[in-house]
């Protein structure tokens, strides 16, 4: 087991390094024109430009530039030039909203998917199963911003059940926080529930045909115990792997649309605004941190997976 | 107790699918007493495994049609509610399957998998259960059971997994053990060890064992009585001595003649049955062995009943229109099928 | 001067196959394991050599080596007087025609998208081409293996397991081979069908003068078809002898254990007290004990067995045994 973890960590480090190199190349090397000009933003004065060139070392060789940029990113000293604000500070400010969104939504989508997946798998091809199948296809194919916009229009504007966007920190008011988060949570979850419940359903069906489930029945266990201890435990494995990717994706900027729509002032919205202003430093930092987070969480999920499924340890 | 431990009567099992109903078991009747080892023998698709699973109620599903009767200790199991079946599975009837590795849950350690069954049927606490599991593992010759408790199935060999399965099956002291091709996937030396253990379950603990196999060699080693299945029907049943010394049905003759044997000359032509075993549920009219039988005559267009063998003990019967004299004659003409005088069997 | 014996059709000398074992953190191979270790035997024209052993003993690896689907790291394989151990695939092609292989799984070894006739015709020698002559050949081969010539137009899925194995044999015969290596050819088949295929193999051998290497785990089938039998245990031959002799007087403890374990469909052998049941299990080459690999299961093992691997020693009566204390020897 320790060997598996060590090996997995080594390969993650390699991926992280490659990601950083690619990000560096994308933002500094590949585009035409002076990177300094892009960092400083449109209409920057020649003085600012000169300062940027010196500050970022654009006159240095590439590997020095790479090292400099990594140092800046990881010491948190990147400053957005258009607003002259420290990027890390902005990220810190946006993180609670983004984490609230991701954690809350993933709790909803996981529990929703388990309930619906299990119900669908109880009677394969039954009315409930087929209805859930149709709903799942719809929820997967409708874009999240359409669901969000429709929900906002009806539930916040037409009938004011929920606030019309905005974010209230949990430290300030728990119920305010909850009130502002429910709609974004649900909107973000809908598509995931559709996908996850279908994946779980087919995973359950597959597991129920396994020999060891027949053994469990032959042991005289109750249906519930067979479902929970033998079927679900195995069927959940693909779900957990998927969840690791999606959760990290949401935190690492995947919630751009929902955050902007509901004006949550999170990391995603910050990224969206920076893109609008062509403010390169924040985008670079968010991309780097986002991908790092995805890689780290995937690694963690894989290691958890190895605990849940001992056979994995033999592979790789 | 009076009466047999298990009685199966005119069992029929059909699976419906898009292409209609596949009748996997057409007509199976058998009885099994305490301390007796009965073998069901037949080739693939003859319905032997479906029969075993149906006795345990493991073929129940909305698409399965089950008719007939399965009585365990006199009480009917076929239409019994799930709760009654659950109480029988484990402490009453236990089963061991063909594929030992996949029959164990791959993500659970083997100790807790055995313990789970004990916990489901008794009120023992954790420590007592553990004690009992380790004891039953030790009885089956699993070395270092305390350490094996923590092993995952993939860390054990096939033979060891099968011992774990048997230990699990025996953990609630069942009165009937069904072994479904439980040595087929194992090496011969391991098979010999496990067969010996099954035999001692009957002799030393009075457990009834229903052993399902395709291997007449295995039958000869351990069986008390034999039920020969063909195409979902019992074609012959009798004591192990009568099956090997005085087999009544041409299919049994064919099976016996098909096996290469260590005590026969090499390269001698094996007696074969032409054609291949039929797909389940393809029985036409008449005797189901008609198409492959070298001795068929016009009467075989009508299905023969499972009739007692004249002059033999009860529970010996065959499904064939040939008269006993004809059978004796044809069998000799068809070749000496190993009717060597048996040594002392007991 | 003794007369010079004709060279054998196939000769395998000190062949060894190693596989890398991964165990270190970075996945580099940290060592090798010998799946086949120092195996030697010969096959004469028209002879059947059986190789028997339990799962994981290396018999399948060895059979793949003989037809050079695998390249052995050690030893030499000579076929028809030509060393084929190191030949390239290209150079092997004409030789492969003369040594065919039939596999265990008749379902997986036939291309499901080709008609049976095409499968068999594809193995015919080049000079026959693809015209009427090829069709006639295919029809003849199908008849030879007990199938109807008109079945050439069907796909493998339309056949039963036994029929598919017959098609596999017909394909092997199409190349007009001198040697066929059969890897568990009947173990996936039902008893009644197994007997048909065993009989067919015997008839073909008589008619065409084929040599077989018959690899299987079932000792009664192997003994039935073989002239000589090699018993394999964890990568090595532990005993090799003429079939009847091996059965009548096994010299190796493992051979005796195997023979005792084989279930025979007679009541004679039933639970007789003379039968010794081997204890323990073979395990894998990875965790084999030092010295003789069988010593941890062997009732006759002594000190020397823990230190020294017994060599396969040939005896005057044509058999060979690898044991420090062979059965039937004085003082054992």
């Amino acid at each position: 087991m320790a060997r598996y973890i060590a090996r997995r960590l080594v390969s993650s480090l390699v991926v992280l390094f490659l990601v950083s190199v690619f990000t560096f190349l994308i933002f500094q090397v590949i585009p035409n024109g002076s990177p300094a000009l892009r960092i400083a933003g449109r209409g920057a004065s020649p003085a600012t430009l000169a300062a940027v060139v010196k500050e970022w070392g654009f006159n240095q060789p590439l590997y020095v530039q790479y090292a400099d940029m990594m140092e800046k990113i990881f010491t948190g000293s990147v400053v957005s030039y258009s607003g002259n604000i420290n990027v890390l500070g902005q990220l810190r400010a946006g993180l609670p909203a983004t984490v609230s969104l991701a954690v809350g939504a993933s709790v909803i989508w996981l529990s929703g998917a388990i309930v619906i997946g299990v119900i669908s798998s109880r009677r394969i091809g039954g009315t409930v199963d087929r209805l859930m199948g149709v709903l799942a296809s719809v929820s997967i194919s409708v874009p999240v911003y359409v669901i969000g916009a429709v929900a906002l229009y009806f539930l916040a504007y037409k009938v004011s059940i929920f606030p019309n966007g905005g974010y209230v920190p949990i430290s300030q008011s728990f119920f305010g926080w909850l009130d502002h988060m429910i709609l974004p949570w649900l909107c973000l979850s809908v598509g995931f529930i559709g996908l996850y419940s279908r994946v779980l359903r087919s995973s359950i069906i597959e597991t129920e045909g396994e020999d060891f489930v027949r053994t469990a029945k032959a042991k005289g266990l109750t249906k519930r115990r067979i479902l929970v201890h033998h079927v679900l435990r195995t069927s959940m494995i693909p779900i957990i792997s998927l969840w690791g990717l999606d959760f990290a994706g949401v935190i690492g900027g995947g919630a751009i649309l929902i955050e902007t729509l509901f004006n949550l002032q999170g990391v995603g919205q910050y990224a969206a605004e920076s893109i609008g202003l062509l403010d390169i430093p924040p985008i670079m930092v968010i991309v780097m941190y986002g991908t790092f987070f995805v890689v780290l969480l995937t690694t963690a999920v894989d290691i958890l997976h190895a605990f849940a499924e001992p056979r994995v340890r033999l592979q790789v | 107790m009076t009466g047999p431990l298990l009685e199966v009567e005119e069992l029929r099992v059909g699976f419906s699918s898009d292409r209609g109903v596949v009748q996997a078991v057409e007509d199976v009747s058998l009885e099994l007493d305490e301390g007796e080892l009965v073998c069901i023998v037949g080739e693939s698709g003859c319905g032997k495994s479906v029969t075993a699973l149906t006795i345990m109620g493991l073929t129940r599903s909305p698409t399965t049609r089950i008719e007939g009767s399965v009585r365990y200790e006199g009480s009917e199991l076929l239409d019994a509610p799930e709760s009654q079946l659950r109480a029988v599975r484990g402490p009453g009837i236990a089963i061991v399957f063909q594929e030992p590795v996949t029959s164990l849950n791959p993500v659970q350690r083997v100790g807790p998998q055995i313990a789970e069954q004990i916990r489901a049927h008794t009120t023992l606490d954790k420590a007592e259960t553990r004690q009992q599991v380790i004891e039953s593992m030790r009885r089956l010759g699993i070395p270092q059971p305390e350490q094996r408790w923590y092993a995952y199935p993939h860390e054990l060999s096939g033979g060891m997994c099968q011992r774990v399965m048997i230990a699990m099956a025996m953990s609630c002291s069942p009165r009937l053990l069904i072994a479904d091709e439980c040595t087929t996937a194992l090496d011969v030396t391991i098979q010999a060890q496990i067969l010996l253990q099954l035999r001692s379950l009957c002799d030393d603990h009075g457990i009834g064992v229903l052993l399902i196999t395709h291997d007449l060699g295995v039958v000869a080693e351990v069986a008390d009585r034999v039920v020969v299945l063909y195409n979902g029907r019992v074609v012959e049943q009798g004591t192990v001595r009568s099956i090997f010394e005085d087999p009544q049905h041409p299919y049994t003759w064919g099976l016996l003649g098909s096996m290469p044997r260590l005590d026969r000359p090499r390269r001698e032509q094996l007696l074969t049955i032409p054609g291949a075993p039929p797909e389940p549920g393809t029985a036409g009219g008449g005797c189901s062995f008609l198409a492959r039988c070298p001795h068929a005559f016009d009467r075989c267009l009508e299905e023969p009943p499972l009739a007692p063998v004249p002059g033999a003990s009860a529970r010996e019967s065959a499904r064939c229109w040939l008269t006993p004299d004809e059978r004796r004659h044809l069998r000799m003409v068809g070749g000496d099928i190993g009717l060597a005088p048996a040594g002392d069997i007991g | 001067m003794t007369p010079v014996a004709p060279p054998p059709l196939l000769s395998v000398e000190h062949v060894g196959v190693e596989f890398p074992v991964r165990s270190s953190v970075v996945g580099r191979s940290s060592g090798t394991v010998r799946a086949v270790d120092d195996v030697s035997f010969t096959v004469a024209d028209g002879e059947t050599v059986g190789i028997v052993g339990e799962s994981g003993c290396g018999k399948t690896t060895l059979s793949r080596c003989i037809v050079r689907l695998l390249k052995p790291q050690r030893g030499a394989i000579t076929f028809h007087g030509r060393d084929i151990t190191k030949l390239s695939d290209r150079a092997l092609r004409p030789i492969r025609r003369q040594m065919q292989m039939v596999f265990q799984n008749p379902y997986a070894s036939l291309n499901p998208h080709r008609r049976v006739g095409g499968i068999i015709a594809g193995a015919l020698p080049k000079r026959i081409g693809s015209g009427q002559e090829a069709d006639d050949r295919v029809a003849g081969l199908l008849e030879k293996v007990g199938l109807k010539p008109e079945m050439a137009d069907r796909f493998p899925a339309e056949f039963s397991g036994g029929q598919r194995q017959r098609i596999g044999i017909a394909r092997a015969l199409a190349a007009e081979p001198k040697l066929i290596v059969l890897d568990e050819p009947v173990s996936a088949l039902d008893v009644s069908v197994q007997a048909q295929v065993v009989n067919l193999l015997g008839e073909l051998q008589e008619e065409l003068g084929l040599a077989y290497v018959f690899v299987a785990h079932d000792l009664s089938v192997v003994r039935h078809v073989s002239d000589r039998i090699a018993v394999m245990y964890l990568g090595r031959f532990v005993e090799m002898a003429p079939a009847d002799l091996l059965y009548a007087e096994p010299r190796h403890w493992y051979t005796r254990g195997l023979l005792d374990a084989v279930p025979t469909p007679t009541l004679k052998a039933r639970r007789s007290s003379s039968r010794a049941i081997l204890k323990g299990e073979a395990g894998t080459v990875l965790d084999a004990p030092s010295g003789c690999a069988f010593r941890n299961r062997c009732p006759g093992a002594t000190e020397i067995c823990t230190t020294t691997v017994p060599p396969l020693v040939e005896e005057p009566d044509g058999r060979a045994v690898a044991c420090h204390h062979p059965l039937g020897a004085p003082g054992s």
Side-chain angles (χ1 to χ4, degrees), chain B residues 44 157 193 264 266 273, chain C residues 54 190 196 223 226 278 281:
Chain B
S44 56
S157 67
Q193 295 166 5
R264 305 285 303 178
R266 288 186 305 119
I273 308 172
Chain C
E54 295 179 283
D190 271 313
Q196 297 166 4
R223 193 202 71 107
S226 304
L278 274 183
E281 48 189 87

Side-chain angles (χ1 to χ4, degrees), chain A residues 3 6-7 10 316, chain C residues 22-25 27:
Chain A
R3 205 165 69 208
R7 210 184 275 177
V10 169
V316 179
Chain C
R22 298 163 135 219
S23 65
S24 65
V25 170

Side-chain angles (χ1 to χ4, degrees), chain A residues 49-71:
Chain A
L49 202 60
V52 168
V53 168
K54 190 160 172 283
E55 172 98 0
W56 291 78
F58 288 135
N59 42 9
Q60 306 268 351
L62 269 184
Y63 65 90
V64 178
Q65 288 190 35
Y66 171 79
D68 278 355
M69 177 175 144
M70 288 307 124
E71 193 193 333

Side-chain angles (χ1 to χ4, degrees), chain C residues 122-188:
Chain C
L124 287 170
K126 284 243 164 52
R127 63 185 151 77
I128 291 175
S130 58
Q132 186 59 42
E133 196 188 349
D135 292 348
D136 291 346
R137 279 294 179 95
V138 170
L141 285 165
L142 282 171
E143 273 186 331
K144 194 163 266 171
V145 297
L147 296 171
K148 294 195 186 79
E150 53 267 30
M151 290 176 173
D153 290 334
R154 299 204 202 148
F155 290 96
E158 297 171 60
F159 293 89
S160 68
Q163 287 174 319
R164 270 181 248 199
Q165 202 55 296
R166 287 172 193 268
I167 296 167
I169 294 169
R171 176 178 59 182
L173 291 177
E176 300 173 1
K178 292 212 153 52
L179 171 74
I180 302 183
V181 176
L182 304 132
D183 183 11
E184 298 274 10
V186 296
S187 32

Side-chain angles (χ1 to χ4, degrees), chain C residues 87-152:
Chain C
L87 288 188
S88 66
D89 275 355
R90 201 187 156 82
L92 268 173
R93 214 171 294 154
I95 295 165
R96 283 231 173 94
R97 307 206 63 83
Q98 300 182 6
M99 44 198 293
Q100 290 286 308
M101 185 148 184
V102 172
F103 298 92
Q104 167 170 15
N105 190 335
Y107 297 86
S109 56
L110 299 175
N111 182 343
H113 305 296
R114 288 187 72 187
R115 289 174 202 280
V116 165
I119 293 175
I120 297 172
L124 287 170
K126 284 243 164 52
R127 63 185 151 77
I128 291 175
S130 58
Q132 186 59 42
E133 196 188 349
D135 292 348
D136 291 346
R137 279 294 179 95
V138 170
L141 285 165
L142 282 171
E143 273 186 331
K144 194 163 266 171
V145 297
L147 296 171
K148 294 195 186 79
E150 53 267 30
M151 290 176 173

Side-chain angles (χ1 to χ4, degrees), chain B residues 266-267, chain C residues 8-12 39-52 59 62-63 66 179-185 205 210-216 221-231 237 239-243:
Chain B
R266 288 186 305 119
R267 289 173 182 274
Chain C
L9 178 65
L10 173 82
S11 129
V12 173
V39 164
S40 304
F41 68 99
T42 58
V43 183
D45 267 306
E47 188 189 26
T48 302
V49 172
I51 297 174
V52 68
K59 56 189 192 296
L62 177 61
S63 63
I66 296 170
L179 171 74
I180 302 183
V181 176
L182 304 132
D183 183 11
E184 298 274 10
Q205 182 167 46
L210 297 166
Y212 292 143
V213 173
F214 194 103
V215 179
V221 173
V222 172
R223 193 202 71 107
H224 189 86
V225 300
S226 304
D227 299 307
R228 286 185 299 140
I229 298 176
V231 180
F237 278 5
E239 181 164 9
M240 183 150 191

